[in-house]
Amino acid sequence: MEQRISYITLGVRNLKESENFYSNLLGWKKTEESTGNIIFYKLNGIILALYPVEALASDAETVPGARCFSNFTISYNTRTKAEVDKVIFKLEKHGVKVVREAETVFWGGYRGYISDPNGFMIEIVYNPKAEMDEAGNIL
């Protein structure tokens, strides 16, 4: 198996509310393959998909809220510490829930956490050890 992840699919309670968060508040553009039943965002080599939680749980033959179903975070890496503060401040002004204020962490980075409408945690982080190319891909 090659070392890569192609899709991350979030099981969401309200597809329209989640689409509004990612499209309007974060400013991401959904792909043409998006439908009324599933939304896709092409990121840096990965697709983020939003899919109704009941349908995703059914597809995985589990139930919404099962322990193995949602214990992870998504990280958005920035190029500077100041960019972390800028991103979080802008999102908070638009009503996005800040779960943890930005702060320096023991490994030398700087990060804070926000939450999408479903409670999925998004880490806004500057990692001085993670070099990025012009497109934002981690090298």
Side-chain angles (χ1 to χ4, degrees):
M1 183 173 166
E2 294 178 24
Q3 187 170 313
R4 75 164 167 263
I5 294 175
S6 304
Y7 284 77
I8 296 174
T9 304
L10 302 180
V12 300
R13 292 184 303 269
N14 182 314
L15 190 59
K16 289 289 183 200
E17 179 182 50
S18 295
E19 178 184 3
N20 179 62
F21 177 85
Y22 287 93
S23 294
N24 298 324
L25 295 176
L26 297 188
W28 294 1
K29 295 182 182 4
K30 60 185 181 177
T31 69
E32 292 180 12
E33 294 79 21
S34 298
T35 69
N37 298 320
I38 190 166
I39 307 295
F40 297 105
Y41 298 95
K42 185 175 182 185
L43 308 177
N44 301 55
I46 295 176
I47 302 292
L48 177 68
L50 307 176
Y51 195 46
V53 66
E54 295 83 7
L56 183 59
S58 175
D59 188 59
E61 294 187 345
T62 187
V63 295
R67 182 168 185 170
C68 64
F69 203 65
S70 65
N71 295 333
F72 70 95
T73 63
I74 298 169
S75 294
Y76 175 85
N77 282 54
T78 65
R79 290 176 175 81
T80 66
K81 286 173 69 171
E83 188 179 354
V84 171
D85 291 328
K86 182 180 175 182
V87 168
I88 291 174
F89 178 76
K90 181 179 178 184
L91 293 171
E92 187 174 30
K93 279 181 52 177
H94 287 94
V96 172
K97 181 179 179 183
V98 176
V99 177
R100 187 169 188 171
E101 296 292 333
E103 63 184 351
T104 301
V105 288
F106 70 93
W107 48 266
Y110 184 74
R111 58 96 171 99
Y113 283 91
I114 63 167
S115 167
D116 84 350
N118 295 278
F120 289 109
M121 304 285 284
I122 301 173
E123 177 188 40
I124 311 298
V125 61
Y126 168 67
N127 181 346
K129 298 171 187 158
E131 292 184 55
M132 295 189 333
D133 65 16
E134 289 181 23
N137 296 305
I138 295 179
L139 302 174

